[in-house]
Amino acid sequence: MSLENLKYFKESNQFNSSRIECFPNRCVPFNDDEIVSSEILKIAANRTSFLRISRITDHYKSSLIQSINLVRDLNNDGLKVCLFIVGVVQSEELFTLL
């Protein structure tokens, strides 16, 4: 949760008897690759963009396929949309399928 959420829950009478903890975000700093960033901007130009952050694993297969189908259907309906999936490939078979 965010620090704002932590403050809200700690100040709310509804959660007086609850143990509330704030764990740091699991994100780690990364280097922004300007070439990759510019390619993403080219792809996304004049389109609505969806971003899916997920491990590429069979556990998330159904929801990943749903995301892809949504974008495909929206494009078929004449909307300009694109989908970016960002995540670690843990299933090469699923990655190939997608």
Side-chain angles (χ1 to χ4, degrees), residues 64-82:
L64 288 165
I65 290 173
Q66 288 174 353
S67 299
I68 292 167
N69 288 338
L70 171 65
V71 169
R72 181 182 300 127
D73 290 346
L74 291 171
N75 277 298
N76 288 340
D77 288 344
L79 299 171
K80 292 182 176 181
V81 299
C82 62

PDB file of all heavy atoms in Angstrom, residues 64-82:
ATOM      1  N   LEU A  64      -3.789 -12.852 -19.712  1.00  0.00           N
ATOM      2  CA  LEU A  64      -2.979 -12.304 -20.805  1.00  0.00           C
ATOM      3  C   LEU A  64      -3.715 -12.453 -22.136  1.00  0.00           C
ATOM      4  O   LEU A  64      -3.762 -11.515 -22.942  1.00  0.00           O
ATOM      5  CB  LEU A  64      -1.610 -12.993 -20.866  1.00  0.00           C
ATOM      6  CG  LEU A  64      -0.641 -12.637 -19.742  1.00  0.00           C
ATOM      7  CD1 LEU A  64       0.512 -13.642 -19.694  1.00  0.00           C
ATOM      8  CD2 LEU A  64      -0.124 -11.225 -19.918  1.00  0.00           C
ATOM      9  N   ILE A  65      -4.306 -13.610 -22.355  1.00  0.00           N
ATOM     10  CA  ILE A  65      -5.067 -13.843 -23.589  1.00  0.00           C
ATOM     11  C   ILE A  65      -6.282 -12.916 -23.637  1.00  0.00           C
ATOM     12  O   ILE A  65      -6.608 -12.361 -24.698  1.00  0.00           O
ATOM     13  CB  ILE A  65      -5.458 -15.324 -23.719  1.00  0.00           C
ATOM     14  CG1 ILE A  65      -4.198 -16.155 -23.999  1.00  0.00           C
ATOM     15  CG2 ILE A  65      -6.499 -15.522 -24.823  1.00  0.00           C
ATOM     16  CD1 ILE A  65      -4.413 -17.649 -23.986  1.00  0.00           C
ATOM     17  N   GLN A  66      -6.930 -12.685 -22.502  1.00  0.00           N
ATOM     18  CA  GLN A  66      -8.046 -11.747 -22.465  1.00  0.00           C
ATOM     19  C   GLN A  66      -7.605 -10.337 -22.859  1.00  0.00           C
ATOM     20  O   GLN A  66      -8.315  -9.634 -23.585  1.00  0.00           O
ATOM     21  CB  GLN A  66      -8.682 -11.722 -21.075  1.00  0.00           C
ATOM     22  CG  GLN A  66      -9.470 -12.966 -20.741  1.00  0.00           C
ATOM     23  CD  GLN A  66      -9.968 -12.963 -19.307  1.00  0.00           C
ATOM     24  OE1 GLN A  66      -9.630 -12.094 -18.503  1.00  0.00           O
ATOM     25  NE2 GLN A  66     -10.762 -13.979 -18.978  1.00  0.00           N
ATOM     26  N   SER A  67      -6.444  -9.918 -22.383  1.00  0.00           N
ATOM     27  CA  SER A  67      -5.917  -8.601 -22.740  1.00  0.00           C
ATOM     28  C   SER A  67      -5.677  -8.498 -24.240  1.00  0.00           C
ATOM     29  O   SER A  67      -6.036  -7.504 -24.876  1.00  0.00           O
ATOM     30  CB  SER A  67      -4.604  -8.324 -21.992  1.00  0.00           C
ATOM     31  OG  SER A  67      -4.799  -8.325 -20.607  1.00  0.00           O
ATOM     32  N   ILE A  68      -5.067  -9.528 -24.793  1.00  0.00           N
ATOM     33  CA  ILE A  68      -4.788  -9.542 -26.233  1.00  0.00           C
ATOM     34  C   ILE A  68      -6.087  -9.530 -27.029  1.00  0.00           C
ATOM     35  O   ILE A  68      -6.233  -8.778 -28.006  1.00  0.00           O
ATOM     36  CB  ILE A  68      -3.911 -10.762 -26.590  1.00  0.00           C
ATOM     37  CG1 ILE A  68      -2.520 -10.587 -25.973  1.00  0.00           C
ATOM     38  CG2 ILE A  68      -3.837 -10.958 -28.103  1.00  0.00           C
ATOM     39  CD1 ILE A  68      -1.675 -11.843 -25.984  1.00  0.00           C
ATOM     40  N   ASN A  69      -7.055 -10.339 -26.607  1.00  0.00           N
ATOM     41  CA  ASN A  69      -8.342 -10.382 -27.311  1.00  0.00           C
ATOM     42  C   ASN A  69      -9.083  -9.052 -27.231  1.00  0.00           C
ATOM     43  O   ASN A  69      -9.715  -8.625 -28.201  1.00  0.00           O
ATOM     44  CB  ASN A  69      -9.215 -11.516 -26.776  1.00  0.00           C
ATOM     45  CG  ASN A  69      -8.706 -12.880 -27.189  1.00  0.00           C
ATOM     46  OD1 ASN A  69      -7.976 -13.018 -28.168  1.00  0.00           O
ATOM     47  ND2 ASN A  69      -9.081 -13.891 -26.439  1.00  0.00           N
ATOM     48  N   LEU A  70      -9.011  -8.386 -26.088  1.00  0.00           N
ATOM     49  CA  LEU A  70      -9.650  -7.078 -25.943  1.00  0.00           C
ATOM     50  C   LEU A  70      -9.080  -6.091 -26.949  1.00  0.00           C
ATOM     51  O   LEU A  70      -9.827  -5.405 -27.663  1.00  0.00           O
ATOM     52  CB  LEU A  70      -9.465  -6.549 -24.515  1.00  0.00           C
ATOM     53  CG  LEU A  70      -9.899  -5.092 -24.298  1.00  0.00           C
ATOM     54  CD1 LEU A  70     -11.407  -4.953 -24.500  1.00  0.00           C
ATOM     55  CD2 LEU A  70      -9.476  -4.615 -22.917  1.00  0.00           C
ATOM     56  N   VAL A  71      -7.765  -6.027 -27.027  1.00  0.00           N
ATOM     57  CA  VAL A  71      -7.123  -5.092 -27.950  1.00  0.00           C
ATOM     58  C   VAL A  71      -7.445  -5.464 -29.397  1.00  0.00           C
ATOM     59  O   VAL A  71      -7.730  -4.593 -30.223  1.00  0.00           O
ATOM     60  CB  VAL A  71      -5.600  -5.034 -27.686  1.00  0.00           C
ATOM     61  CG1 VAL A  71      -4.869  -4.290 -28.780  1.00  0.00           C
ATOM     62  CG2 VAL A  71      -5.352  -4.387 -26.337  1.00  0.00           C
ATOM     63  N   ARG A  72      -7.447  -6.739 -29.710  1.00  0.00           N
ATOM     64  CA  ARG A  72      -7.793  -7.193 -31.063  1.00  0.00           C
ATOM     65  C   ARG A  72      -9.222  -6.777 -31.410  1.00  0.00           C
ATOM     66  O   ARG A  72      -9.478  -6.236 -32.486  1.00  0.00           O
ATOM     67  CB  ARG A  72      -7.641  -8.708 -31.179  1.00  0.00           C
ATOM     68  CG  ARG A  72      -7.959  -9.224 -32.578  1.00  0.00           C
ATOM     69  CD  ARG A  72      -7.852 -10.732 -32.691  1.00  0.00           C
ATOM     70  NE  ARG A  72      -6.502 -11.176 -32.361  1.00  0.00           N
ATOM     71  CZ  ARG A  72      -6.224 -12.110 -31.455  1.00  0.00           C
ATOM     72  NH1 ARG A  72      -7.174 -12.730 -30.796  1.00  0.00           N
ATOM     73  NH2 ARG A  72      -4.977 -12.462 -31.231  1.00  0.00           N
ATOM     74  N   ASP A  73     -10.157  -7.002 -30.484  1.00  0.00           N
ATOM     75  CA  ASP A  73     -11.559  -6.654 -30.725  1.00  0.00           C
ATOM     76  C   ASP A  73     -11.742  -5.141 -30.897  1.00  0.00           C
ATOM     77  O   ASP A  73     -12.496  -4.689 -31.767  1.00  0.00           O
ATOM     78  CB  ASP A  73     -12.452  -7.152 -29.591  1.00  0.00           C
ATOM     79  CG  ASP A  73     -12.585  -8.672 -29.561  1.00  0.00           C
ATOM     80  OD1 ASP A  73     -12.210  -9.337 -30.567  1.00  0.00           O
ATOM     81  OD2 ASP A  73     -13.056  -9.200 -28.531  1.00  0.00           O
ATOM     82  N   LEU A  74     -11.070  -4.361 -30.062  1.00  0.00           N
ATOM     83  CA  LEU A  74     -11.177  -2.908 -30.182  1.00  0.00           C
ATOM     84  C   LEU A  74     -10.639  -2.421 -31.526  1.00  0.00           C
ATOM     85  O   LEU A  74     -11.225  -1.542 -32.164  1.00  0.00           O
ATOM     86  CB  LEU A  74     -10.443  -2.222 -29.020  1.00  0.00           C
ATOM     87  CG  LEU A  74     -11.091  -2.396 -27.645  1.00  0.00           C
ATOM     88  CD1 LEU A  74     -10.177  -1.866 -26.550  1.00  0.00           C
ATOM     89  CD2 LEU A  74     -12.447  -1.716 -27.590  1.00  0.00           C
ATOM     90  N   ASN A  75      -9.521  -3.003 -31.955  1.00  0.00           N
ATOM     91  CA  ASN A  75      -8.977  -2.643 -33.275  1.00  0.00           C
ATOM     92  C   ASN A  75      -9.937  -3.055 -34.384  1.00  0.00           C
ATOM     93  O   ASN A  75     -10.137  -2.307 -35.345  1.00  0.00           O
ATOM     94  CB  ASN A  75      -7.595  -3.269 -33.483  1.00  0.00           C
ATOM     95  CG  ASN A  75      -6.500  -2.448 -32.843  1.00  0.00           C
ATOM     96  OD1 ASN A  75      -6.272  -1.309 -33.207  1.00  0.00           O
ATOM     97  ND2 ASN A  75      -5.837  -3.034 -31.858  1.00  0.00           N
ATOM     98  N   ASN A  76     -10.549  -4.224 -34.260  1.00  0.00           N
ATOM     99  CA  ASN A  76     -11.521  -4.676 -35.258  1.00  0.00           C
ATOM    100  C   ASN A  76     -12.745  -3.772 -35.302  1.00  0.00           C
ATOM    101  O   ASN A  76     -13.401  -3.662 -36.334  1.00  0.00           O
ATOM    102  CB  ASN A  76     -11.943  -6.126 -34.999  1.00  0.00           C
ATOM    103  CG  ASN A  76     -10.849  -7.118 -35.343  1.00  0.00           C
ATOM    104  OD1 ASN A  76      -9.925  -6.817 -36.094  1.00  0.00           O
ATOM    105  ND2 ASN A  76     -10.944  -8.303 -34.770  1.00  0.00           N
ATOM    106  N   ASP A  77     -13.050  -3.118 -34.177  1.00  0.00           N
ATOM    107  CA  ASP A  77     -14.171  -2.176 -34.113  1.00  0.00           C
ATOM    108  C   ASP A  77     -13.787  -0.783 -34.615  1.00  0.00           C
ATOM    109  O   ASP A  77     -14.587   0.142 -34.552  1.00  0.00           O
ATOM    110  CB  ASP A  77     -14.707  -2.075 -32.688  1.00  0.00           C
ATOM    111  CG  ASP A  77     -15.466  -3.323 -32.250  1.00  0.00           C
ATOM    112  OD1 ASP A  77     -15.834  -4.138 -33.124  1.00  0.00           O
ATOM    113  OD2 ASP A  77     -15.683  -3.475 -31.030  1.00  0.00           O
ATOM    114  N   GLY A  78     -12.545  -0.641 -35.073  1.00  0.00           N
ATOM    115  CA  GLY A  78     -12.111   0.622 -35.657  1.00  0.00           C
ATOM    116  C   GLY A  78     -11.388   1.564 -34.712  1.00  0.00           C
ATOM    117  O   GLY A  78     -11.041   2.677 -35.106  1.00  0.00           O
ATOM    118  N   LEU A  79     -11.172   1.144 -33.483  1.00  0.00           N
ATOM    119  CA  LEU A  79     -10.423   1.984 -32.541  1.00  0.00           C
ATOM    120  C   LEU A  79      -8.936   1.716 -32.705  1.00  0.00           C
ATOM    121  O   LEU A  79      -8.521   0.588 -32.966  1.00  0.00           O
ATOM    122  CB  LEU A  79     -10.860   1.689 -31.112  1.00  0.00           C
ATOM    123  CG  LEU A  79     -12.328   1.953 -30.810  1.00  0.00           C
ATOM    124  CD1 LEU A  79     -12.683   1.425 -29.434  1.00  0.00           C
ATOM    125  CD2 LEU A  79     -12.627   3.432 -30.909  1.00  0.00           C
ATOM    126  N   LYS A  80      -8.145   2.744 -32.542  1.00  0.00           N
ATOM    127  CA  LYS A  80      -6.693   2.579 -32.631  1.00  0.00           C
ATOM    128  C   LYS A  80      -6.142   2.360 -31.232  1.00  0.00           C
ATOM    129  O   LYS A  80      -6.024   3.296 -30.449  1.00  0.00           O
ATOM    130  CB  LYS A  80      -6.055   3.815 -33.257  1.00  0.00           C
ATOM    131  CG  LYS A  80      -6.387   4.026 -34.703  1.00  0.00           C
ATOM    132  CD  LYS A  80      -5.657   5.244 -35.232  1.00  0.00           C
ATOM    133  CE  LYS A  80      -5.909   5.423 -36.710  1.00  0.00           C
ATOM    134  NZ  LYS A  80      -5.172   6.588 -37.233  1.00  0.00           N
ATOM    135  N   VAL A  81      -5.837   1.108 -30.920  1.00  0.00           N
ATOM    136  CA  VAL A  81      -5.302   0.779 -29.606  1.00  0.00           C
ATOM    137  C   VAL A  81      -4.119  -0.166 -29.754  1.00  0.00           C
ATOM    138  O   VAL A  81      -3.970  -0.847 -30.765  1.00  0.00           O
ATOM    139  CB  VAL A  81      -6.371   0.132 -28.687  1.00  0.00           C
ATOM    140  CG1 VAL A  81      -7.532   1.073 -28.447  1.00  0.00           C
ATOM    141  CG2 VAL A  81      -6.871  -1.164 -29.253  1.00  0.00           C
ATOM    142  N   CYS A  82      -3.276  -0.177 -28.739  1.00  0.00           N
ATOM    143  CA  CYS A  82      -2.161  -1.123 -28.723  1.00  0.00           C
ATOM    144  C   CYS A  82      -1.970  -1.614 -27.298  1.00  0.00           C
ATOM    145  O   CYS A  82      -2.448  -1.010 -26.341  1.00  0.00           O
ATOM    146  CB  CYS A  82      -0.881  -0.502 -29.280  1.00  0.00           C
ATOM    147  SG  CYS A  82      -0.258   0.909 -28.373  1.00  0.00           S
TER     148      CYS A  82
END
